[in-house]
Amino acid sequence: MGVWQVPSDLVARSRFTVSPMAETVGALKALRHPKAPWEQAWRRPHVDAFREVLAARPVVRALVEASFGLRWVADFLTVAPASADPTFAEELAAVERLSDERIRADLRATRPGPLAAELLADGLTGQVVELLDWVWAHTVAPEWPERERRLRADIVARTAALSTRGLAGAIVDINRNVRWLGDGRLQVNDYPEPPLSLHAAEQLVFVPAHCRRGWVVWDAPARFGMVYPARGILVDPASPAPDGLARLIGANRAEILARLDAPMSTSQLVVVTGLSLGTVSDHLRVLLGAGAVGKRRSGREVLYWRTPLGEALVAPRV
């Protein structure tokens, strides 16, 4: 299995962050080969335009085909975020600084064997940049405010777990092949690779994304991390609140509490409940004062979630 040997000071500096580039790579993966039902549904309105791009640009078509192997994503698509809150432009600039030869070397490592003739000409990095920019602009950017809210909600939940259960508790469910093994060892996949020492690394990052399965990111030797599926990718109906709770605190307040099994912002609650902003804010104020919900700022949003008291209130009675 793939194991990183992580020194304690690097664990202490580890952080969760949002990456627009990770969202873009996840979208590219879904456009190319969707597997989960939600990926197929998301892809449907975008796939015709994507196919037109591939048909018109043979180099881009060859790039997409060569960038995804059975086990690996080409490293130029998996550069770890360099800052706490990178913009897409900043992350795209990091890719743009790579040479054509670096891109080709990463493609050969991903899919050993001769490269397609289209990938041997000059200007390959520019083609990568244009592909990523197209995916971002046409599929991710229009959805970015909602995507970012979900990602930050996941981070709030993870950092809350980090403060009470440590790194092992914060990452316990991010991927079935990722787990903290103890003694400074972090399993990152189940591949038969030799352990990798991160003692020279400066950053360890965990990046939630809209993806079916995650992938490792790095910019060796300084930065390492992993992308993982964010909670709340699917907007499922909330489990109904117990009838007794609705009678006790009111139907609208009970519905809001039932929705907060994962952190949500006021604006998200407005969308999913159909209540006005003022009504939601008033109910949250009461629930917060009663100790049934907690709150924390994440970026531009204030996110709310159920406390242990809130969990007890919505738990089904046997």
Side-chain angles (χ1 to χ4, degrees):
M1 59 186 175
V3 173
W4 289 349
Q5 296 173 330
V6 187
S8 57
D9 62 329
L10 185 59
V11 172
R13 295 196 305 273
S14 65
R15 57 182 170 80
F16 290 82
T17 191
V18 169
S19 165
M21 183 59 73
E23 288 292 285
T24 302
V25 174
L28 178 58
K29 286 165 65 71
L31 286 169
R32 174 182 173 268
H33 191 193
K35 293 184 178 180
W38 69 264
E39 288 180 314
Q40 295 167 5
W42 174 85
R43 176 180 183 260
R44 204 166 292 125
H46 305 298
V47 65
D48 288 342
F50 182 62
R51 286 171 175 164
E52 288 175 6
V53 169
L54 299 187
R57 304 184 63 174
V59 176
V60 170
R61 185 169 63 248
L63 260 172
V64 171
E65 181 61 28
S67 295
F68 299 94
L70 293 176
R71 302 195 327 180
W72 304 114
V73 178
D75 281 358
F76 61 83
L77 295 176
T78 64
V79 177
S83 61
D85 254 326
T87 65
F88 176 73
E90 289 170 342
E91 293 192 287
L92 189 64
V95 177
E96 194 168 14
R97 288 192 289 269
L98 303 177
S99 67
D100 288 355
E101 280 309 310
R102 160 67 191 272
I103 300 294
R104 279 190 274 270
D106 289 350
L107 291 174
R108 291 187 179 102
T110 304
R111 289 197 169 199
L115 293 179
E118 294 89 344
L119 302 176
L120 302 178
D122 292 342
L124 189 58
T125 301
Q127 297 282 345
V128 173
V129 168
E130 290 180 17
L131 169 64
L132 293 172
D133 192 48
W134 185 93
V135 174
W136 164 261
H138 288 81
T139 72
V140 179
E143 306 171 355
W144 181 244
E146 179 59 28
R147 283 176 175 253
E148 186 179 19
R149 278 194 289 270
R150 290 187 192 134
L151 301 177
R152 293 197 180 279
D154 180 278
I155 289 175
V156 166
R158 303 280 176 193
T159 53
L162 186 65
S163 66
T164 57
R165 293 185 285 150
L167 184 60
I171 66 171
V172 66
D173 62 346
I174 65 174
N175 187 302
R176 59 187 173 88
N177 294 318
V178 174
R179 59 184 57 86
W180 183 253
L181 302 176
D183 197 27
R185 296 175 302 140
L186 175 64
Q187 178 181 328
V188 297
N189 55 47
D190 61 354
Y191 301 158
E193 303 292 333
L196 177 64
S197 173
L198 270 55
H199 282 76
E202 300 170 3
Q203 293 179 357
L204 177 63
V205 295
F206 298 91
V207 182
H210 291 70
C211 58
R212 187 181 66 89
R213 293 186 63 183
W215 58 89
V216 167
V217 294
W218 55 35
D219 190 5
R223 298 192 302 277
F224 293 81
M226 60 187 62
V227 175
Y228 64 89
R231 296 166 174 167
I233 291 174
L234 300 176
V235 182
D236 295 325
S239 300
D243 291 339
L245 180 61
R247 290 194 296 271
L248 177 66
I249 66 174
N252 289 340
R253 207 166 287 162
E255 181 184 2
I256 289 172
L257 194 58
R259 293 278 183 180
L260 291 175
D261 55 336
M264 298 182 75
S265 68
T266 308
S267 57
Q268 285 176 293
L269 286 166
V270 167
V271 171
V272 299
T273 64
L275 301 172
S276 70
L277 179 60
T279 299
V280 170
S281 296
D282 287 343
H283 288 320
L284 286 171
R285 192 176 303 113
V286 172
L287 292 168
L288 187 66
V293 303
K295 73 173 184 178
R296 180 178 298 174
R297 178 168 291 280
S298 179
R300 295 180 296 276
E301 299 279 358
V302 175
L303 300 172
Y304 296 83
W305 66 93
R306 289 198 299 258
T307 64
L309 173 59
E311 295 286 355
L313 287 171
V314 300
R317 299 297 183 264
V318 181

